[in-house]
Amino acid sequence: MRGLITSILSVVLLTGIVTPVALAEESSINLAPDASSAILIERDTGTVLFEKNSQEKLPPASMTKIMTMLLIMEALDKGQIKLDEKVRTSERAASMGGSQIFLEPGEEMTVAELLKAIAVASGNDASVAMAEHIAGSEEAFVEMMNEKAKELGAEQTNFINSNGLPAENHYTTAEDLALISKELLKYEDITNYTGIYEDYLRENTDDEFWLVNTNKLVKFYPGVDGLKTGYTREAQYCLTATAEKNGMRVISVVMGASSPKERNKQITEMLDYAFSQYTTHNLYERNHVIDEVKISKGHKGKVEAVTSGSVSILTKKGASVEDATEKVVLEEGLQAPIKKGDQVGTLIIEQGGSVLSETKLVAKEDINDASWWLLFKRTLGKFAG
């Protein structure tokens, strides 16, 4: 059984802090009137600033690729793949229709090039090529997608493929897309791809391919650097967008808009609302060391517990300063092996008995099993002491 170790620190935070209860009172806000479903959240805290039918199950079209990109970024972070490694295109990947970069069977591109193709040009063929490269088959990759969705609490989501081409029983919600996007944006390098407006693949060859971002707000709305558009006849016009201004990053999702113009208009109105009414106050960046956790039977006796994401407090603009508390809850009785990214604790920010935010604390590195010789030496050391 694992126990818990708790420490409480006093920290200076802000009043005027936004809570879901407070937001529920702002029912007069009329955003996204043309959308079937929509949601607006602040990235660090996950606080919902606006929602409309956000739990309605709908086809996500190419916004499916947000989960595909998340699994790619996780594999990169864990060292399972590298940006410069070559990926070979299968016959199946090359056969994908819809948005594509026209990969040929047997053609090789790097992970970085395929990630760019997915993020900018919404390449269905590139998505399948990467799915097969990571999991061995697209079917196995889709299992990973659905497992990750459940892990994140995206319970109203079911993926059938990696690219969002129409398929029976392939659905998600605006709320779940916001959750998945929030997780993707922990890997800040992703915006180096989703924030590109135009670029080239196969540059300086006879098959040079011009990429133009399907998300036009990357060019026309200051601060927008992602994430993903989507369109099918059934899904209509969809967009999950993210923007950052003055240290605050927000995520807005629109599903089922009637036209690209309406889709972009509604997203920009949601972003305008967020940036005009709220502000965030950053406490810690991702991977900030909070504490150390004891590990038994490992090649090291401790591992640093780091923040799994950026930690901030969201307030209405013009808030005043007041005390709050920071509580660190560490798991006890952990035993090797521990993998980098495994949860080893929780950072809780509270004010007046209310929880403002909870952030997972994760292992900064792998802790492998100790060798029998190391365990033997430790045992001798205890007797010597």
Side-chain angles (χ1 to χ4, degrees):
M1 296 293 289
R2 292 177 176 175
L4 299 174
I5 303 173
T6 305
S7 61
I8 300 178
L9 303 174
S10 177
V11 294
V12 177
L13 299 179
L14 304 176
T15 59
I17 291 169
V18 178
T19 66
V21 173
L23 289 173
E25 296 172 356
E26 299 184 12
S27 57
S28 60
I29 302 166
N30 183 28
L31 298 171
D34 179 63
S36 300
S37 176
I39 196 168
L40 173 67
I41 71 168
E42 190 275 325
R43 190 272 309 267
D44 289 356
T45 63
T47 302
V48 177
L49 306 179
F50 168 79
E51 69 87 30
K52 172 188 175 182
N53 302 329
S54 64
Q55 296 183 2
E56 182 180 354
K57 294 178 183 177
L58 294 167
S62 281
M63 293 191 298
T64 299
K65 297 182 179 82
I66 296 170
M67 177 61 89
T68 299
M69 290 189 287
L70 170 56
L71 294 184
I72 293 170
M73 296 305 292
E74 281 192 345
L76 286 166
D77 188 60
K78 293 175 181 177
Q80 296 169 351
I81 59 174
K82 296 180 179 179
L83 285 171
D84 60 356
E85 74 182 59
K86 295 285 188 177
V87 177
R88 187 178 184 280
T89 304
S90 69
E91 292 272 358
R92 185 172 185 278
S95 71
M96 293 295 113
S99 301
Q100 56 185 302
I101 58 168
F102 301 99
L103 289 168
E104 293 289 340
E107 182 178 3
E108 291 188 341
M109 282 193 179
T110 65
V111 168
E113 289 171 327
L114 290 173
L115 183 54
K116 187 193 300 183
I118 295 167
V120 180
S122 195
N124 294 325
D125 46 1
S127 296
V128 175
M130 280 304 307
E132 293 174 342
H133 186 68
I134 290 172
S137 70
E138 188 183 21
E139 291 77 12
F141 188 82
V142 169
E143 288 183 13
M144 292 171 60
M145 294 170 72
N146 287 318
E147 287 171 6
K148 189 65 182 181
K150 298 300 182 290
E151 177 189 323
L152 295 175
E155 297 289 344
Q156 304 302 313
T157 290
N158 188 66
F159 295 118
I160 300 298
N161 57 50
S162 63
N163 49 33
L165 284 169
E168 187 177 353
N169 211 34
H170 186 96
Y171 59 81
T172 187
T173 68
E175 180 179 70
D176 283 0
L177 279 170
L179 281 174
I180 297 165
S181 300
K182 182 179 185 296
E183 186 72 12
L184 173 59
L185 287 164
K186 288 181 179 179
Y187 303 98
E188 295 187 353
D189 286 350
I190 190 60
T191 57
N192 294 337
Y193 298 91
T194 59
I196 296 170
Y197 183 68
E198 58 183 344
D199 206 336
Y200 288 90
L201 291 173
R202 309 184 189 95
E203 198 165 4
N204 300 319
T205 72
D206 292 339
D207 297 318
E208 188 172 75
F209 190 85
W210 184 36
L211 302 173
V212 180
N213 204 318
T214 55
N215 178 10
K216 305 307 178 189
L217 296 184
V218 166
K219 183 175 183 179
F220 296 109
Y221 191 102
V224 170
D225 51 9
L227 276 170
K228 194 69 201 70
T229 59
Y231 171 78
T232 63
R233 185 177 299 176
E234 182 185 12
Q236 295 187 283
Y237 294 92
C238 307
L239 173 58
T240 297
T242 184
E244 183 174 25
K245 285 187 181 180
N246 301 319
M248 181 171 78
R249 180 173 287 281
V250 296
I251 299 164
S252 59
V253 183
V254 160
M255 303 182 76
S258 61
S259 68
K261 181 178 179 180
E262 279 300 319
R263 174 185 67 188
N264 292 349
K265 176 177 179 288
Q266 290 173 107
I267 287 286
T268 56
E269 287 175 350
M270 292 164 73
L271 296 177
D272 287 344
Y273 169 73
F275 291 124
S276 68
Q277 299 299 309
Y278 301 97
T279 189
T280 56
H281 310 270
N282 183 258
L283 303 178
Y284 303 111
E285 295 298 333
R286 180 173 178 255
N287 290 326
H288 182 87
V289 178
I290 297 295
D291 211 328
E292 287 187 327
V293 185
K294 290 182 179 180
I295 307 294
S296 65
K297 299 184 179 180
H299 78 285
K300 290 184 179 180
K302 294 181 179 179
V303 67
E304 290 182 326
V306 301
T307 52
S308 60
S310 182
V311 182
S312 299
I313 298 300
L314 179 69
T315 71
K316 292 284 283 186
K317 284 195 170 178
S320 58
V321 177
E322 154 177 314
D323 287 339
T325 57
E326 174 184 296
K327 182 164 66 175
V328 179
V329 181
L330 302 177
E331 294 199 31
E332 196 175 32
L334 291 171
Q335 182 174 316
I338 298 291
K339 293 294 185 183
K340 176 185 176 182
D342 284 353
Q343 184 171 358
V344 295
T346 306
L347 174 64
I348 303 170
I349 308 297
E350 297 179 326
Q351 185 182 51
S354 298
V355 174
L356 303 178
S357 70
E358 291 190 19
T359 303
K360 289 181 181 179
L361 299 178
V362 298
K364 187 177 181 180
E365 59 182 330
D366 291 345
I367 302 295
N368 300 319
D369 289 318
S371 66
W372 70 268
W373 178 243
L374 181 56
L375 291 173
F376 179 66
K377 287 199 297 182
R378 287 176 183 171
T379 302
L380 286 179
K382 290 178 182 178
F383 282 120

